[in-house]
Amino acid sequence: MKIPFAENYKIKMVEPIYRSTREEREKWIREARYNLFNLKSSQVYIDLLTDSGTGAMSDRQWGAMMTGDESYAGSSSFFNLKEKVKDLFGFEYMLPVHQGRAAENVLFSVLVKEGDVVPGNSHFDTTKGHIEFRKAKALDCTVSQAFDTENDFPFKGNVDINQLKLVLETYPREQVPLIVLTITCNSSGGQPVSMENIRKVKELADIYDVPLVFDSARFAENAWFIQQREKGYQEKTIKEIVREMYSCADGMTMSSKKDGIVNMGGILAMNRAEWYEKATVFNIMYEGFVTYGGMAGRDMNAMSVGLDEVTESEYLETRIKQVHYLGEQLIDYGIPIQKPIGGHAIFVDAKRFFPHVPVEEFVAQTLAIELYLEAGIRGVEIGTLLADRDPATHLNRYPTLEFLRLAIPRRTYTNNHMDVVAAGLKNIFDRRDQVKHGYTIEYEAPIMRHFTVGLKKF
Ligand code: F0G
């Protein structure tokens, strides 16, 4: 008999979770105005809202926290992390920040000005937010395959090279301060970018003399997919692949709450001394002194160890196999999801799941609420609520795809929990024809409305 694959860890500490009743959940979600962000975590049984800052640290990471150096300036924790970043990504300069969006804020304060355009592959919301906040534009050049959930293209995070070329030909160099490549591409479903595509983007960037920066939240998961799916990479280690990927980048922003496997933190790193000098000023203003930014010494220590662990094949195999374990069950049940299955989450195609619910009634949010009511599981809407209104016309923007994202925290839940998620979704899918209506908005904020929106039943 073949020995089955199992997790590369055993559990040393547990946290109880409460399995509520449907009556309780009906009351709680009503009180939360049908917004899952308003729920208390104690009202959630399995929390798949995000994989950001929600993972479990290892005993090595907790051990490293005890030896954190909390000196204001020049701490050993900073130098440990700086060395790790140099080793792994090849960048000379590194600034710690409190999370990913802070790295974007600092870097874009240096590079982005009004009227600029920043091409990339489906920029994450905060990246787009920081670009638009500066009255610049984020131009999405993702390959078209990403917008067809049934298409099995293995690198749906890729940039459409012709589209990027067109952007670089259209706008003058002074108006394109950088290209942002998000690896893996969260918004398109945790989908990877191939090494071949990275190289092609870099070639174009060089021809047009535009710097290339990687949004690196899930860089190790991207490397795993290159190792698994791209010809010529099977024999390379994850660390070798990461080094090769980053040999094409001029800099990186990173939320370490994902592939840093810590609960809070981030970095900005680069090789260009002139960027570093300018970024230092903004870092001190917004984050903290250059050797701690937004992070405590103990957190920098935990991140250094996290970067080591996240680039081990055994860890990545465990991680990605769990996401695929859930995804494959859903595919077996006929539930429509973004294919192929990505790295950190399952993206359920809500329009195809609930064909009778109009998009005007927030179909992906409707599915998120149903899943909470059915089994106490919290996912997140990646659809019309998140897409917000057009700033000029104030009309709702309806994205091509309406997703319910089920993001799986690292090393946190077991496959039994995944079985609960799959069964919950299947029960709803079996009675999907009975769900004909969704929700309307009662209250919304002028920007980033999905966090605080209040809804009522249609
Ligand atoms: N870039 C990507 C690709 C992200 O997924 C995120 C966060 C950020 C940047 C910003 O990082 O939260 O540390 O400020 N994504 C989380 C999520 C919030 O749930 O996908 P942050």
Side-chain angles (χ1 to χ4, degrees):
M1 186 181 185
K2 188 169 180 268
I3 304 291
F5 177 83
E7 290 79 4
N8 76 326
Y9 55 82
K10 58 182 178 176
I11 296 165
K12 195 177 275 193
M13 192 186 280
V14 296
E15 176 185 345
I17 46 179
Y18 174 59
R19 190 170 184 157
S20 52
T21 64
R22 185 164 179 119
E23 289 69 41
E24 284 174 323
R25 292 194 290 275
E26 277 171 1
K27 177 171 172 285
W28 292 335
I29 194 72
R30 204 171 43 245
E31 287 168 356
R33 302 177 80 183
Y34 299 99
N35 178 345
L36 291 109
F37 284 100
N38 287 339
L39 291 171
K40 293 178 184 157
S41 62
S42 58
Q43 297 169 334
V44 176
Y45 177 44
I46 300 172
D47 204 346
L48 308 185
L49 183 72
T50 179
D51 64 323
S52 179
T54 51
M57 293 206 296
S58 68
D59 55 353
R60 278 180 63 212
Q61 287 181 289
W62 282 107
M65 287 194 85
M66 295 308 291
T67 56
D69 176 354
E70 304 304 340
S71 307
Y72 190 96
S75 74
S76 60
S77 302
F78 169 78
F79 289 108
N80 283 343
L81 181 58
K82 183 173 150 69
E83 204 169 304
K84 185 66 62 188
V85 167
K86 173 92 204 292
D87 226 38
L88 198 51
F89 304 105
F91 293 124
E92 199 61 53
Y93 304 106
M94 189 276 289
L95 290 166
V97 293
H98 79 275
Q99 63 184 99
R101 65 199 73 184
E104 293 160 2
N105 189 27
V106 171
L107 181 67
F108 296 171
S109 294
V110 176
L111 295 179
V112 181
K113 61 181 188 316
E114 187 170 344
D116 282 354
V117 296
V118 181
N121 54 340
S122 299
H123 312 65
F124 183 67
D125 334 339
T126 59
T127 320
K128 200 169 168 193
H130 274 296
I131 291 169
E132 290 178 351
F133 182 72
R134 292 173 172 80
K135 298 196 164 58
K137 240 194 213 144
L139 297 180
D140 185 3
C141 301
T142 311
V143 289
S144 59
Q145 289 95 325
F147 301 96
D148 171 6
T149 54
E150 279 302 305
N151 189 320
D152 259 333
F153 186 63
F155 291 102
K156 278 181 165 176
N158 279 3
V159 164
D160 180 329
I161 297 297
N162 289 331
Q163 222 176 315
L164 177 63
K165 189 157 185 263
L166 189 66
V167 171
L168 296 174
E169 273 168 3
T170 307
Y171 293 91
R173 165 66 186 93
E174 316 77 71
Q175 227 178 315
V176 193
L178 78 161
I179 300 166
V180 177
L181 195 61
T182 305
I183 53 173
T184 59
C185 185
N186 185 2
S187 313
S188 70
Q191 297 291 322
V193 181
S194 71
M195 192 71 86
E196 188 193 5
N197 195 251
I198 291 175
R199 288 203 175 287
K200 283 189 178 157
V201 171
K202 175 62 176 161
E203 269 168 36
L204 266 188
D206 281 349
I207 292 170
Y208 290 88
D209 188 31
V210 176
L212 175 60
V213 170
F214 290 176
D215 175 346
S216 311
R218 300 175 183 87
F219 75 97
E221 291 171 6
N222 199 94
W224 165 262
F225 284 117
I226 289 176
Q227 189 193 54
Q228 298 297 305
R229 295 181 183 169
E230 198 162 347
K231 205 167 151 261
Y233 288 92
Q234 281 66 46
E235 302 306 319
K236 298 210 162 145
T237 66
I238 295 295
K239 287 185 172 68
E240 284 167 347
I241 295 172
V242 169
R243 232 165 275 141
E244 190 175 330
M245 285 158 60
Y246 281 81
S247 67
C248 295
D250 297 289
M252 67 185 285
T253 56
M254 180 178 176
S255 165
S256 53
K257 300 171 73 172
K258 287 84 166 168
D259 274 353
I261 331 187
V262 291
N263 303 114
M264 190 47 94
I267 58 163
L268 170 61
M270 66 214 95
N271 272 332
R272 299 186 179 204
E274 71 280 12
W275 284 7
Y276 176 72
E277 275 167 27
K278 288 180 187 158
T280 297
V281 176
F282 290 107
N283 212 68
I284 292 173
M285 244 168 24
Y286 297 145
E287 295 296 304
F289 182 63
V290 289
T291 62
Y292 73 86
M295 293 177 82
R298 60 181 80 96
D299 291 332
M300 288 191 276
N301 269 12
M303 182 179 168
S304 293
V305 179
L307 287 175
D308 249 347
E309 293 180 354
V310 83
T311 46
E312 285 163 11
S313 284
E314 287 266 299
Y315 159 81
L316 282 165
E317 189 172 5
T318 302
R319 158 72 173 156
I320 310 262
K321 278 198 169 153
Q322 182 169 57
V323 178
H324 286 227
Y325 175 81
L326 172 60
E328 277 154 20
Q329 279 192 72
L330 300 180
I331 291 171
D332 284 349
Y333 294 151
I335 294 172
I337 64 170
Q338 173 72 297
K339 290 178 197 156
I341 299 161
H344 71 292
I346 299 299
F347 284 61
V348 184
D349 185 336
K351 280 202 245 180
R352 290 177 51 225
F353 192 105
F354 278 154
H356 306 305
V357 178
V359 286
E360 293 79 9
E361 294 171 26
F362 309 110
V363 59
Q365 179 71 6
T366 305
L367 181 55
I369 294 165
E370 283 295 320
L371 183 59
Y372 175 68
L373 288 171
E374 179 69 26
I377 296 150
R378 172 159 69 174
V380 73
E381 189 246 28
I382 310 274
T384 305
L385 281 178
L386 178 76
D388 233 313
R389 290 179 186 274
D390 185 295
T393 63
H394 290 285
L395 295 171
N396 276 324
R397 289 191 275 211
Y398 294 105
T400 315
L401 293 169
E402 291 267 354
F403 284 126
L404 163 64
R405 186 186 76 170
L406 304 168
I408 302 180
R410 292 162 184 78
R411 307 191 285 213
T412 302
Y413 292 110
T414 67
N415 284 1
N416 287 331
H417 293 113
M418 298 304 115
D419 292 344
V420 173
V421 178
L425 269 173
K426 181 175 189 314
N427 287 349
I428 304 166
F429 195 59
D430 287 346
R431 57 174 169 76
R432 63 190 177 281
D433 287 338
Q434 293 163 25
V435 181
K436 295 200 168 62
H437 282 292
Y439 294 81
T440 57
I441 291 179
E442 231 176 23
Y443 160 77
E444 70 184 296
I447 190 166
M448 295 267 175
R449 66 177 178 183
H450 63 291
F451 288 119
T452 52
V453 74
L455 299 166
K456 60 174 189 218
K457 280 188 186 170
F458 180 83

